[in-house]
Amino acid sequence: MGYTLYRDRTKPSETDQEMWDSPLNTYLREHQMGRAGTICTLPDMIRHVEAIGALWWQYTSPTRATLGAIRFINGGILAPSLTPLIDTSELFTTVAVEGLRSWHTLLATDASRRAAYGDDHADLLLPGFTFGEYLFEQEGTDCVFIDGTLRTVPAGTVVAMLTIDRIPTYSPPQHFGLPSYSDTRTRISTTDYFDQADAIQQGWKKAADDTAHQQRPTTG
């Protein structure tokens, strides 16, 4: 397998050997990922995001990311879901993981899949994720942040991106398991696209609300 090597932007004089041995590149090799992302089960995706979500901010291009955002590629006619901008790598990881857990919880309620594959049916689905980046090229772009504030983002700002895709294809319950659907075990759910989008957005909101509550000053 060929591997994409990512350079640590906090180490401008990093040698090729140091790049090979860096925490991110080592993690990707050890988990047989040729790039910063893969197709995997939801439990594995949660583990991967927990392990390298914050770390990814050091490896974006052309410079280290100072903001983050998460995109969920919805199915059907729905446009992608996108978080507001997130200003710490720790919160970026927390929001991503909470969204994935909320999504997993919803998918686990699929009675058709449970009847066919047992209680762990949601762990058989194989969505995908990819880490990337977005560069603000225009000066003075006003954007909404995760705390609800509107702030101006200067040109040259790099945003660490996590994109979640290959979400389960929707099948009406009465059609579940018919030969017209391929890879039913790993790709098909009777959970509709609107509910899937809502579940991951609710997870994002919960993480943001919990963080805001923790940061709120207490009064004696």
Side-chain angles (χ1 to χ4, degrees):
M1 174 186 289
Y3 293 97
T4 299
L5 290 178
Y6 298 94
R7 187 171 296 280
D8 188 339
R9 302 300 172 180
T10 68
K11 299 178 180 178
S13 59
E14 185 180 39
T15 66
D16 289 346
Q17 186 61 51
E18 288 172 336
M19 183 165 58
W20 177 264
D21 294 334
S22 71
L24 176 66
N25 292 314
T26 298
Y27 184 92
L28 298 180
R29 284 198 312 277
E30 288 177 347
H31 292 84
Q32 298 184 329
M33 287 189 266
R35 57 187 175 84
T38 191
I39 296 169
C40 60
T41 67
L42 265 169
D44 281 345
M45 188 181 296
I46 290 169
R47 284 189 283 270
H48 291 322
V49 171
E50 286 179 324
I52 63 175
L55 188 61
W56 173 248
W57 287 42
Q58 296 176 207
Y59 292 83
T60 53
S61 181
T63 60
R64 183 189 184 282
T66 55
L67 298 172
I70 305 155
R71 183 172 57 168
F72 184 72
I73 307 299
N74 292 305
I77 62 172
L78 296 182
S81 300
L82 182 67
T83 65
L85 289 175
I86 302 167
D87 45 13
T88 71
S89 58
E90 294 78 14
L91 183 55
F92 173 77
T93 302
T94 299
V95 171
V97 168
E98 195 63 47
L100 292 172
R101 286 175 176 159
S102 177
W103 184 33
H104 181 268
T105 297
L106 172 71
L107 292 171
T109 66
D110 187 330
S112 298
R113 285 189 58 86
R114 181 181 291 109
Y117 305 119
D119 290 342
D120 295 332
H121 64 89
D123 296 349
L124 303 175
L125 292 165
L126 294 175
F129 76 96
T130 306
F131 284 102
E133 62 272 304
Y134 176 81
L135 174 65
F136 275 92
E137 297 181 343
Q138 289 187 321
E139 188 63 54
T141 304
D142 292 332
C143 298
V144 177
F145 279 67
I146 197 78
D147 62 1
T149 60
L150 184 67
R151 307 182 212 167
T152 301
V153 179
T157 299
V158 176
V159 180
M161 297 291 304
L162 168 63
T163 299
I164 302 159
D165 58 10
R166 293 188 86 253
I167 77 166
T169 301
Y170 171 70
S171 163
Q174 64 271 26
H175 296 161
F176 183 80
L178 294 180
S180 57
Y181 290 97
S182 61
D183 299 325
T184 302
R185 181 183 176 91
T186 62
R187 295 291 298 128
I188 309 298
S189 174
T190 64
T191 307
D192 72 35
Y193 297 126
F194 291 94
D195 288 341
Q196 291 190 53
D198 183 67
I200 200 158
Q201 290 170 19
Q202 289 300 317
W204 294 342
K205 183 177 184 302
K206 180 181 183 301
D209 290 346
D210 288 349
T211 299
H213 178 75
Q214 293 168 7
Q215 295 176 345
R216 190 176 298 126
T218 58
T219 57

